Amino acid sequence: MAGTLTLAGCNSAKEGVKEAASGMGDAAKTAATATGQAALAPAVNPVLDLLKKGQGEVAAGNVVAAAATIGGFKGLWEKAGPVIQPLAGDKWPAIETAANTLISTFAGGTPDAAGATAAISGLIGPLSALVGK
């Protein structure tokens, strides 16, 4: 009987350790996510600011001004992209595709308002989600 009690106590202790370890794993994942988002913010926020400025210009009917604003995107993206890529994980392919779409949409000069809106929004969405905005 004493052996059974000891064994039951041991199993109970093992389960407690497993639960604690699982909780620590969740806490570590949460901390890693928060750290990743904090590391991403300095790279993503200037890109989002530029995109939102361009989006506002398109919404105001000034696609020419939006094209001028988005003209600065490629240089900014060349610096921000390499910082974002390793932290974006499986979201990177969609972000990279949206960035390339934006660049090609504005590469020929001033696009139509619908194309400009779609290209800008197509990148704002995944970048905002990446930094929790």
Side-chain angles (χ1 to χ4, degrees):
M1 179 104 172
T4 304
L5 287 174
T6 302
L7 205 56
C10 231
N11 285 336
S12 179
K14 282 182 190 176
E15 289 305 312
V17 168
K18 283 182 187 177
E19 287 177 21
S22 174
M24 288 176 63
D26 292 344
K29 285 179 190 174
T30 301
T33 299
T35 300
Q37 286 178 339
L40 279 168
V44 173
N45 287 340
V47 175
L48 283 174
D49 291 344
L50 180 117
L51 293 172
K52 289 176 182 177
K53 180 179 179 189
Q55 185 179 48
E57 291 166 340
V58 172
N62 196 347
V63 182
V64 173
T69 296
I70 299 300
F73 173 78
K74 190 173 180 180
L76 182 60
W77 187 246
E78 287 171 356
K79 294 175 184 165
V83 176
I84 296 167
Q85 182 179 5
L87 299 170
D90 62 352
K91 295 177 177 101
W92 176 250
I95 292 168
E96 183 179 38
T97 298
N100 289 335
T101 298
L102 180 74
I103 291 167
S104 66
T105 298
F106 284 88
T110 304
D112 62 47
T117 298
I120 293 169
S121 297
L123 185 55
I124 287 175
L127 284 179
S128 295
L130 192 62
V131 292
K133 288 188 172 184

